[in-house]
Amino acid sequence: MKRLRIAIQKSGRLSENSRNLLKECGIKLTNGAGVLKTSAGNFPADILFLRDDDIPRYVEQQVADIGILGENVVYEKNMDVDILEKLGFANCRLSLAIPREVEFTGPDYFNNKRIATSHPGLLSEYLSANNISARIEKLSGSVEIAPGIGLADAICDIVSSGSTLDTNGLQEVITILNSQAVIIGNKNLDDEKRAILSKLLFRIKAVKRSNENKYILLNAPKSAVDQICSILPGIKSPTVLPLAEKGWCSLHSVVREDDFWERIDLLRKAGAEGILVIPIEKMIL
Ligand code: PRT
Ligand code: ZN
């Protein structure tokens, strides 16, 4: 039987989340750090540990069948691969930044400026789409120090919290791209590999959904049930169970993590009590 070759980052910001995702999908990685390849014991997959920059090329050439990496690298490398699923971690953005004391006058500011970056492909695409003529200074790291040492007038770099820009006296002025970790796949997988891949993607979606949702239980007076049901759309309709105490019932439902606090406030206003919120292990629809 064939095995799906999955490339993940060897060591870096994506490694731990990538390993955890596979683990949550029931794929046990037997070997620890220091190896380049390992076999999953209980799933037809081999894992390759690579530098993230190499993953798009290896997937295009089918050295690996699929890979997990940042969208920014996928677009930067511009290889012929499919983006199969967004994974919701390693969220960041590729932005242009200039010294804090300089007044920003709009995209034209960058005309005839020198911009340091390790994302020359995405930057030059942005510049030509906006008719800006600037010089790109390609660096492989420590881009944020370039303006301070006189190497560039601006930078184009990955920003997450913004503290690196802040520490280096820079202000973020334009976001070129929002990025998160994604799964990419080779375009010519045979049927057998596609079958393994669809099994994996099914599990990944279940894990993602469980991370994005919480299970909620609460008690409420029966008279408030309709209003509470409208606050809790749930997967289908909420489960409503009678309580021993007359006139009261218990409601169970699923809420999305992102609007969770707003819903809790609305529920309390509607008369809900004893609210319990529980993480979901797996969510299969
Ligand atoms: O060795 P290898 O080539 O595999 O790894 P790498 O060093 O090229 O990449 P790595 O591990 O640093 O990042 C992998 C991916 O994580 C990136 O391609 C992004 O998709 C994503 N990611 C998420 C980030 C960040 N957040 C991030 N904050 N990548 C880099 N940074 C850096 C950024 O370059 C800057 O120096 O962190 C600094 C900014 O962070 P804040 O929080 O101060 O704004
Ligand atoms: Zn890299």
Side-chain angles (χ1 to χ4, degrees):
M1 192 184 172
K2 287 193 176 161
R3 299 176 73 80
L4 193 70
R5 279 169 306 200
I6 308 173
I8 64 172
Q9 191 188 27
K10 185 171 163 54
S11 65
R13 285 188 166 83
L14 302 166
S15 321
E16 201 185 331
N17 279 322
S18 306
R19 282 169 175 271
N20 283 343
L21 177 67
L22 295 177
K23 203 166 124 200
E24 286 182 84
C25 290
I27 299 177
K28 290 200 188 96
L29 309 191
T30 40
N31 279 320
V35 293
L36 290 176
K37 187 178 159 189
T38 184
S39 293
N42 51 348
F43 191 83
D46 293 328
I47 318 298
L48 306 177
F49 301 100
L50 301 170
R51 286 208 49 190
D52 64 350
D53 315 72
D54 295 333
I55 294 177
R57 184 160 41 93
Y58 283 151
V59 170
E60 189 192 72
Q61 295 174 0
Q62 220 184 339
V63 175
D65 299 310
I66 64 168
I68 299 178
L69 74 165
E71 263 177 307
N72 55 306
V73 177
V74 180
Y75 294 127
E76 179 63 32
K77 300 296 172 190
N78 203 16
M79 296 280 159
D80 196 18
V81 295
D82 287 330
I83 293 190
L84 304 173
E85 185 74 30
K86 300 200 177 204
L87 298 174
F89 61 83
N91 292 357
C92 59
R93 52 199 188 271
L94 182 68
S95 290
L96 284 157
I98 61 173
R100 196 183 294 135
E101 63 281 5
V102 175
E103 193 197 338
F104 183 60
T105 50
D108 285 348
Y109 169 85
F110 292 103
N111 264 317
N112 305 315
K113 295 284 196 302
R114 295 163 305 158
I115 310 172
T117 191
S118 27
H119 289 79
L122 284 168
L123 176 58
S124 74
E125 228 173 79
Y126 170 82
L127 295 174
S128 46
N130 289 278
N131 288 321
I132 300 165
S133 135
R135 197 163 104 200
I136 298 177
E137 303 287 353
K138 193 176 166 224
L139 297 178
S140 53
S142 304
V143 170
E144 64 279 359
I145 63 167
I149 58 174
L151 187 68
D153 307 297
I155 68 165
C156 172
D157 199 11
I158 297 290
V159 182
S160 157
S161 67
S163 69
T164 302
L165 294 183
D166 212 41
T167 319
N168 288 280
L170 299 166
Q171 55 171 323
E172 185 178 1
V173 290
I174 289 176
T175 296
I176 291 183
L177 176 86
N178 286 302
S179 174
Q180 60 177 289
V182 290
I183 289 210
I184 57 168
N186 177 276
K187 294 201 153 172
N188 306 306
L189 296 181
D190 63 31
D191 290 348
E192 206 175 336
K193 292 220 169 165
R194 280 203 185 276
I196 307 171
L197 174 60
S198 80
K199 213 170 181 177
L200 176 64
L201 289 175
F202 176 81
R203 295 186 188 186
I204 286 175
K205 284 178 192 151
V207 169
K208 249 179 74 181
R209 241 179 260 124
S210 69
N211 291 338
E212 287 164 358
N213 292 281
K214 300 259 183 264
Y215 195 73
I216 184 166
L217 301 101
L218 57 87
N219 295 337
K222 280 191 179 141
S223 57
V225 166
D226 284 349
Q227 196 188 348
I228 288 181
C229 286
S230 70
I231 302 168
L232 287 180
I235 311 178
K236 286 190 184 136
S237 54
T239 309
V240 183
L241 303 167
L243 284 182
E245 195 176 332
K246 217 168 165 259
W248 279 75
C249 60
S250 163
L251 269 90
H252 302 190
S253 188
V254 171
V255 281
R256 283 188 62 84
E257 171 94 83
D258 48 10
D259 61 3
F260 163 75
W261 284 112
E262 275 157 44
R263 294 213 190 251
I264 298 289
D265 287 343
L266 292 171
L267 290 170
R268 290 181 61 226
K269 276 193 196 125
E273 288 180 8
I275 303 174
L276 288 181
V277 178
I278 300 168
I280 298 172
E281 173 70 29
K282 299 281 183 301
M283 194 163 150
I284 323 278
L285 293 183

